[in-house]
Amino acid sequence: MPKSKLVASPLAARLSAPFLALVLAALALSAPAEAQSRRLHQLLDEVTAEVEANRKLTQVMVDKIFSFSELGFQEYETSRYLVNLLRENGFEVQEGVAGIPTAWWATWGSGKPVIALGSDIDGIPKASQKPGVAYHDPLVEGAPGHGEGHNAGQAVNVTAALAVKKIMEREKIPGTLVLWPGVAEELVAGKAWFVRDGLFKDVDVVIFTHVGSNLGVSWGDASGTGLVSVEFTFTGEAAHSAGTPWRGRSALDAVELMNVGWNYRREHLRPEQRSHYVVTDGGDQPNVVPSRASVWYYIREISYPEIRRNFDIAIRIAEGAALMTDTKMTYRILGTAWPRHFNKVIAETVYRHIQAVGLPEWSEADQALARAVQKEVGSSDTSGLATRLDSLQGPVRRPVSGGSDDIGDVSWVVPTVTLRFPSNIPGLPGHHWSSAIAMATPIAHKGATAGAKVLARATLELYMTPKLIEEAWAYFHEVQTKEIKYTPFITANDPPAIWLNRETMERYRPELRKYYYDETRFDTYLEQLGITYPTLRRTEATGRQ
């Protein structure tokens, strides 16, 4: 039987050599890429382990900043503590940036890329609260406290930065690492001034961190509003309120008429708007016609044009009030926040690491405290702490009104995202003493460590993958800012309102100082305060447990 022959077809003969060359070229290109991928994954594991090894430092920072309980623009103890810590760890720190005494800008490394990690540091008025106690029990009655949870974010950032810095030093990875504080965020009165004064002009990426009740990140237009915070001041003429009132021109009358006018106008504004005011100066005493009076407004909307429109309406109403009372009106901007828009590429990068890290393992004590606090404040959610990750959130389909955050201004000048980390309890009112209960307990400590792991991993990947930063800027230019351009509300003539909260802190700081956390003597702040964790109920005899 004749032997069969394998004969190549003419087409196969023509393709074999070029095809083989392509295969070899692809293999040659993939080998370095695979090696780079293996190296990245190894370093991600190492940076995660480094954050875990610094768990104690994270806890100390969380507890220390909680104990300072400082309001916006008066965060002197907090900033002093963080600046010293960063300098001890090799960062160069410029203090007093943007004309704000408690603001600073810390850098390590050199060259590109420049990645800036930020988080807020201020507290809430009248939110003093003993941690780990599931009912209202102020540490200092009437004093401020961390009723938003801003004491934990810098612990997340510093822990992550130190871990990334260690890897970058050893592996000789180029780039500059920046840390910065969100000063006076509760007044939305800091970040727009940072932007105005050019702090972010050389930054490639901003990852902001904020306390939440889950690990989460989003991209696109966020829910909530932007705002202008503005104080209107009226000047009139004093007179004896009973003897010669006709000789007076009441500035307080002008304030009241402005408020009446605004309240009537609300009916004819879009339902997405939110606005609120407090009278900051109503005169001296009833028998003197007030020659000076002021009212402080927050004017919120979901887009820059609508904020601008409502701000202009408020100015006209103030002018009308001055006309009716024969007084003079001036106004000054105290704070501002653009609506937020977060970067898709960075959010997707961060979310991959959220999935890799996962939520902390909560103890039964943690869950018992969470459920007790939810019950105490009448929350519709009484299920305790989150046990399932949130999904990656995209742009809101239908704009939803609500709160504001001045990270919005930053997000319109550099690709930005906000990483939320699970250091607080779901279902609480917000800006409230109940939101301080978890913030110096194992809940806050575990949540901050989880957040620091995600932040360290995402930051390291961005340093090692320049293509991601290029794609982030492509999204910024081609999608986010294609039709919308950032127009600041403030000018060079608007100083930061650094006088705000000064008198309040001067009143309460001496008493709060007695409760500053001393980590050299006590393992945790709970131990220093003598609080059993968790304390769930009052006793009938004393009202305390």
Side-chain angles (χ1 to χ4, degrees):
M1 188 173 178
K3 294 181 179 179
S4 60
K5 281 187 174 184
L6 294 175
V7 180
S9 70
L11 177 62
R14 287 197 303 271
L15 290 178
S16 59
F19 179 74
L20 181 59
L22 285 172
V23 169
L24 292 173
L27 290 172
L29 289 172
S30 66
E34 290 177 3
Q36 174 70 3
S37 177
R38 286 195 300 271
R39 178 175 179 245
L40 174 60
H41 282 88
Q42 177 186 346
L43 295 180
L44 291 175
D45 289 342
E46 288 186 32
V47 83
T48 306
E50 187 65 26
V51 169
E52 179 65 29
N54 272 331
R55 181 182 287 268
K56 176 61 181 176
L57 173 63
T58 308
Q59 171 257 309
V60 169
M61 285 189 282
V62 168
D63 288 3
K64 191 86 167 179
I65 298 170
F66 181 94
S67 74
F68 294 145
S69 298
E70 294 176 301
L71 294 174
F73 287 126
Q74 309 305 319
E75 312 100 333
Y76 288 96
E77 299 283 6
T78 300
S79 285
R80 185 181 301 113
Y81 168 67
L82 290 169
V83 165
N84 288 341
L85 181 61
L86 289 167
R87 283 178 172 153
E88 288 169 4
N89 284 278
F91 281 77
E92 295 182 4
V93 186
Q94 181 184 357
E95 297 183 76
V97 297
I100 302 172
T102 56
W104 41 268
W105 190 259
T107 60
W108 174 86
S110 61
K112 291 283 193 175
V114 179
I115 299 177
L117 313 179
S119 199
D120 300 322
I121 58 175
D122 58 328
I124 298 288
K126 296 182 175 64
S128 179
Q129 171 65 32
K130 291 178 182 176
V133 177
Y135 48 85
H136 192 206
D137 193 4
L139 199 60
V140 176
E141 185 69 47
H146 275 288
E148 170 84 354
H150 285 173
N151 59 298
Q154 287 294 335
V156 170
N157 293 9
V158 173
T159 303
L162 295 182
V164 171
K165 174 177 175 285
K166 183 175 181 179
I167 299 293
M168 292 177 70
E169 284 179 315
R170 190 191 71 202
E171 300 293 321
K172 297 180 172 52
I173 297 170
T176 302
L177 189 56
V178 176
L179 284 91
W180 58 278
V183 171
E185 189 278 333
E186 299 301 348
L187 302 169
V188 286
K191 299 182 188 74
W193 280 261
F194 285 16
V195 170
R196 182 194 68 182
D197 290 359
L199 293 181
F200 296 98
K201 61 182 174 60
D202 296 321
V203 172
D204 295 296
V205 168
V206 168
I207 304 181
F208 197 71
T209 61
H210 196 283
V211 65
S213 56
N214 206 318
L215 279 169
V217 69
S218 66
W219 64 273
D221 289 335
S223 62
T225 58
L227 68 74
V228 170
S229 166
V230 55
E231 185 179 50
F232 295 91
T233 295
F234 297 88
T235 305
E237 186 70 36
H240 195 297
S241 299
T244 54
W246 56 86
R247 299 181 65 175
R249 298 291 181 268
S250 175
L252 180 58
D253 286 354
V255 163
E256 292 184 300
L257 285 166
M258 179 183 178
N259 295 341
V260 168
W262 182 260
N263 288 331
Y264 272 101
R265 186 60 187 264
R266 284 179 200 267
E267 181 185 357
H268 309 289
L269 300 176
R270 289 166 21 119
E272 291 83 2
Q273 77 86 27
R274 298 289 186 273
S275 52
H276 4 270
Y277 57 81
V278 293
V279 176
T280 53
D281 181 1
D284 300 305
Q285 59 191 59
N287 65 335
V288 179
V289 174
S291 61
R292 180 183 172 90
S294 300
V295 60
W296 180 9
Y297 271 75
Y298 276 16
I299 298 169
R300 307 184 196 246
E301 249 283 6
I302 61 173
S303 70
Y304 170 80
E306 293 298 334
I307 300 166
R308 182 75 252 180
R309 174 178 175 270
N310 288 357
F311 184 23
D312 289 341
I313 291 171
I315 292 171
R316 292 197 299 273
I317 289 173
E319 291 170 342
L323 185 64
M324 284 187 286
T325 54
D326 199 15
T327 58
K328 294 181 180 179
M329 183 276 293
T330 59
Y331 66 87
R332 59 183 176 183
I333 292 176
L334 303 182
T336 175
W338 255 65
R340 294 159 291 166
H341 187 111
F342 295 130
N343 191 273
K344 185 174 188 286
V345 177
I346 305 171
E348 290 172 342
T349 302
V350 169
Y351 191 72
R352 288 198 299 272
H353 296 290
I354 286 175
Q355 293 176 304
V357 171
L359 288 167
E361 293 185 10
W362 308 117
S363 69
E364 182 49 42
D366 299 333
Q367 291 286 14
L369 178 67
R371 289 191 290 266
V373 175
Q374 290 169 334
K375 183 178 179 182
E376 179 74 14
V377 299
S379 175
S380 60
D381 180 359
T382 57
S383 60
L385 301 168
T387 56
R388 296 179 61 183
L389 285 174
D390 283 341
S391 60
L392 173 64
Q393 299 297 310
V396 291
R397 294 183 179 180
R398 183 175 180 274
V400 178
S401 192
S404 313
D405 191 324
D406 53 358
I407 192 62
D409 289 79
V410 179
S411 75
W412 286 96
V413 296
V414 59
T416 300
V417 296
T418 292
L419 164 65
R420 294 191 173 268
F421 57 92
S423 283
N424 218 324
I425 297 169
L428 304 186
H431 289 188
H432 190 255
W433 54 264
S434 61
S435 294
I437 290 173
M439 290 311 304
T441 73
I443 295 172
H445 305 151
K446 293 173 186 177
T449 294
K453 288 177 180 178
V454 173
L455 181 60
R457 291 170 63 95
T459 302
L460 185 60
E461 182 176 6
L462 288 168
Y463 277 121
M464 296 184 66
T465 317
K467 184 181 178 182
L468 288 174
I469 296 176
E470 293 174 8
E471 291 173 353
W473 276 100
Y475 174 89
F476 182 83
H477 289 304
E478 296 168 14
V479 178
Q480 179 180 346
T481 63
K482 183 178 181 180
E483 296 179 357
I484 300 174
K485 304 302 180 185
Y486 176 69
T487 305
F489 285 104
I490 60 171
T491 69
N493 298 320
D494 294 303
I498 59 175
W499 61 88
L500 292 175
N501 292 321
R502 184 177 295 152
E503 292 182 3
T504 302
M505 286 309 303
E506 287 175 352
R507 176 182 176 186
Y508 288 108
R509 196 186 298 278
E511 190 66 21
L512 289 167
R513 189 173 284 116
K514 300 174 184 177
Y515 297 96
Y516 286 177
Y517 174 45
D518 184 354
E519 69 275 22
T520 65
R521 296 178 58 205
F522 300 96
D523 187 42
T524 66
Y525 196 41
L526 289 173
E527 179 187 341
Q528 178 172 324
L529 296 176
I531 293 173
T532 300
Y533 180 76
T535 296
L536 304 181
R537 294 180 301 278
R538 302 173 177 86
T539 63
E540 291 183 6
T542 64
R544 306 283 174 89
Q545 179 166 323

